[in-house]
Every structure is written in C-alpha cells, then in structure tokens.
Amino acid sequence: MNSHSSIAPTNALEALKAEIGLRRQEFQDLRHIPIDIVRKFQDVGVYRAFVPKRFGGDGLTPQAFCRLVEEIATADASAGWVASFGVSATYLASLPPETYAKIYGTDPNTVFAGAMFPPQAAKRVGDGFEVSGRWPWGSGVMGASIVGAGIKIEGEASPLPRTAIMPRDKVTIDETWNTIGLRATGSHDIVADRVIVPEEWTFIRGGKPQMDDLVFRYPAMALAAQVLAVVALGVARSALDWVRGDALARTSITGAPSPAARAYVQIDFARAEGLLAGARSAFYDAIETGWRQMEAHGEIDRLCHIRLRHTASKAAQDGAEAARIAFVLGGSDAMTTGHPLGRAMIDAACVAQHAFINAGSWQAAGAALFEQQTPPGYP
C-alpha cells in the first residue's frame, strides 16, 4: 500500500471528529452540515481522495476512503454520510476527460452533490440540454459548488440515468429535509428551471469511465454502496463504545449490580460486538480482495463483484442491528430525547434503508449468486 492509501493525518482527523462531536446538536438544528465543517472535510482530503494525483488529488484506494468515512461517522452519522459523497470524483470520471479536468484541475477539493431520481425529461437545445425539474434526496447539497440531477433524453436506451452537472448557483434548493434520522445530511430537493447544460457536462451514472486510472475501473455502483454502508459501521462502533464506557462507570440507583456485571448485558454486548466485527471483517476483506484483483488484472471477476455488493448490504444491516442492541442495553435512559444511543439507532437504521443496501438488496444478491436476472445496475 503506497503513501496515498492511508487516511488523513491523525491529528487533523481527530480534531475534526472532536469538533463534530461537540457540534452535533447544532447540525441537527440546521438540518445540514455547515460550510465550515465542509471546508474541514476538504482539509482532511474527503473530496480529493479519489482525484488522480495529476489533478492535485490524493489517489486513495477504496478501502482507505471507506476507513476515512467510517472514522468520521463514529463522530456523527450525518457527517459521515455527507463525507461519503467524496466518492463523486470516481463516477464523474464518466464525463469527458476535458470536463473532468476543468472541474478537478481547477480545484481538486471541488464538492459535488446530486440527486438522480426521478430522472426528468430534458430537451435538446443546440449542443446541450434544457434541464428543468425537481429532485429529492440531494444529500450534502448545502455545501456543494456543483450539482448533478438525473435526466432522460428521448431515444436514449441506457437503463442507467444520465446526469446533468450544473453550477450550484444555477439551481434552487428547497429545504424540504425534516427527518428523525440522518437529519443533518441536508438532503433537500434540488430544483432547476430551464438551465442549459452543455452535453459534455453530462454523463451516464455508473457508465464506462473516460479515463483509465485503476480506481475508475473499480465497480462504480459497488463503491457507491460501500461508502454509504460503512457509515452504519461507524455509528454502531460509537454506540457500542458508549455502552461500554457507561456500563463500566455507572452504578444502579436501586442497588442492583453495575450494568457491566449483569449477565444479559454481557451476553448482548458480546453478541453485538461479534455482529459488528463479522460485518466489518467481511466488508473490508471483500474490498481488499477486489482491489488486489484490480491491481493484478485491471478488473474484478463477477463473483467478487457480487461479494462487494453483498458485504455492503451486510455492513449496513448488521451495523443497524448492532446499534439497535446498543440502544436496548442503554436501558430507560436511552429513551430520552437526544440521547446518543437513540440517535445512533435511528441514524443507523436510516443508513440501512437506502435502496443500494436495504433489505431488498439481499434478494438482488441472492439472484446474482444463483445467476438469475438482477435489477438494473446490480451488481
């Protein structure tokens, strides 16, 4: 592993995590991650992680980026979720190389946010498209400088959506995001009204990359699922750490044994730790195996490709279950509004609701393993 495969410098990352931990309620109240934290994401390399070194990026591996997002997610799930979209530099590689260079050659820390569905009909006008419509789920859009939106072009047969990239100041953000989980992701609606987008500023989401860097040949949809799923691992880790620290420090007001001495707490805590350890091990082992195949052969075989998606589902689902167990172990105190265990449980459950990694993704994995028809874009 080369020097660009490690996560951000420890001191900067730890300082960022500490600040996020102190400001979590502020983020909840805002319903988005504020711009000064986005700037600190830039400082620790979130947005330049996958940008090739020739454009001033860090050229990280998928496993290194996932570990970075996981670390941030231990401080706050919404912060981890927003940071995960640093992955955008990989799927924007489906743009023409000249367009990619205009984006990242100018600023390797460029922040992109997008909302793909439902794709809206766009009209051809000259050498581009006139884009209008509304797209929900624009996670991180409050801190973005460029914005993507899914469009459909009459006569285009691709099962994957085309994405139009627009300057942030050409669209309107309708602040519709008001949720109990992942509340600070700022996943508001993106609204465009007759924005003209040159064709070279559009690409097929999940389409063939136009540059030959190794990371751009790593399966795009698998990576998109992984960077989201790892948020659940980080949240579960923080929840279990909280339970352990609290159990060791607390005594019962009724005279009952310390939580750490209670058999049911010990059993369920060990069960949750095992669940999380197994999911995390499978997750990173799949990524490491896939990356070794990329380095050796320039591509990933189908079985490994399926495994990348399958273990992402496992990470999300088992991370959510471990966080739920942590909440139960927190007892009645965990029921109070704003308690870290309640927030962790809900945030992790929301991660596991995403279409790439939700319960339905088990069926897609099973179909793939049985060599049956799978949904478009899977694996």
Side-chain angles (χ1 to χ4, degrees), residues 77-94:
S78 291
W81 189 264
V82 170
S84 78
F85 291 99
V87 74
S88 303
T90 62
Y91 57 75
L92 292 184
S94 296

Side-chain angles (χ1 to χ4, degrees), residues 85 88 91-92 95 103-104 110-120 131 133-142 144-151 161-173 188-192 195 197 201-203 205:
F85 291 99
S88 303
Y91 57 75
L92 292 184
L95 285 164
I103 295 171
Y104 292 109
T110 295
V111 182
F112 171 88
M116 302 299 109
F117 299 99
Q120 302 288 334
V131 176
R134 174 183 290 265
W135 298 263
W137 311 98
S139 297
V141 71
M142 300 296 281
S145 56
I146 54 173
V147 174
I151 60 173
R162 180 173 288 275
T163 303
I165 297 180
M166 300 167 279
R168 167 67 176 78
D169 60 8
K170 295 292 186 183
V171 303
T172 301
I173 307 305
H188 301 303
D189 288 8
I190 297 168
V191 182
V195 178
V197 181
W201 284 81
T202 72
F203 67 99
R205 175 72 169 90

Side-chain angles (χ1 to χ4, degrees), residues 3 54 82 85 154 156 177 179 182 187-188 206 311 313 323 375:
S3 62
R54 63 184 177 277
V82 170
F85 291 99
E154 186 177 355
E156 190 164 73
W177 189 248
T179 61
L182 295 177
S187 303
H188 301 303
T311 55
S313 297

Side-chain angles (χ1 to χ4, degrees), residues 151-344:
I151 60 173
K152 53 186 176 183
I153 310 301
E154 186 177 355
E156 190 164 73
S158 171
L160 299 172
R162 180 173 288 275
T163 303
I165 297 180
M166 300 167 279
R168 167 67 176 78
D169 60 8
K170 295 292 186 183
V171 303
T172 301
I173 307 305
D174 188 2
E175 296 187 27
T176 55
W177 189 248
N178 190 9
T179 61
I180 59 171
L182 295 177
R183 181 175 173 82
T185 60
S187 303
H188 301 303
D189 288 8
I190 297 168
V191 182
D193 182 21
R194 293 179 294 181
V195 178
I196 304 302
V197 181
E199 186 163 4
E200 65 269 21
W201 284 81
T202 72
F203 67 99
I204 299 295
R205 175 72 169 90
K208 181 178 174 59
Q210 301 301 302
M211 291 180 288
D212 203 36
D213 301 71
L214 197 61
V215 74
F216 296 152
R217 284 184 270 146
Y218 188 89
M221 301 308 287
L223 184 56
Q226 288 166 338
V227 301
L228 299 177
V230 78
V231 174
L233 296 181
V235 175
R237 177 71 274 145
S238 65
L240 291 172
D241 286 349
W242 193 98
V243 168
R244 185 177 186 277
D246 180 70
L248 289 169
R250 186 156 54 95
T251 56
S252 172
I253 61 173
T254 64
S258 159
R262 299 174 195 173
Y264 79 91
V265 173
Q266 295 168 351
I267 291 168
D268 282 354
F269 185 79
R271 184 164 63 90
E273 283 283 1
L275 195 66
L276 180 59
R280 190 172 187 273
S281 178
F283 179 82
Y284 282 111
D285 183 68
I287 298 177
E288 293 281 356
T289 299
W291 191 249
R292 285 196 297 270
Q293 287 190 5
M294 292 292 297
E295 290 179 318
H297 309 295
E299 61 182 3
I300 290 175
D301 66 40
R302 180 168 173 79
L303 189 58
C304 184
H305 194 168
I306 296 167
R307 189 171 167 230
L308 294 175
R309 294 296 302 269
H310 190 194
T311 55
S313 297
K314 179 177 175 61
Q317 298 294 319
D318 287 1
E321 176 61 9
R324 186 198 67 80
I325 294 171
F327 170 79
V328 173
L329 292 176
S332 56
D333 286 351
M335 297 165 55
T336 58
T337 301
H339 193 283
L341 293 181
R343 185 175 297 174

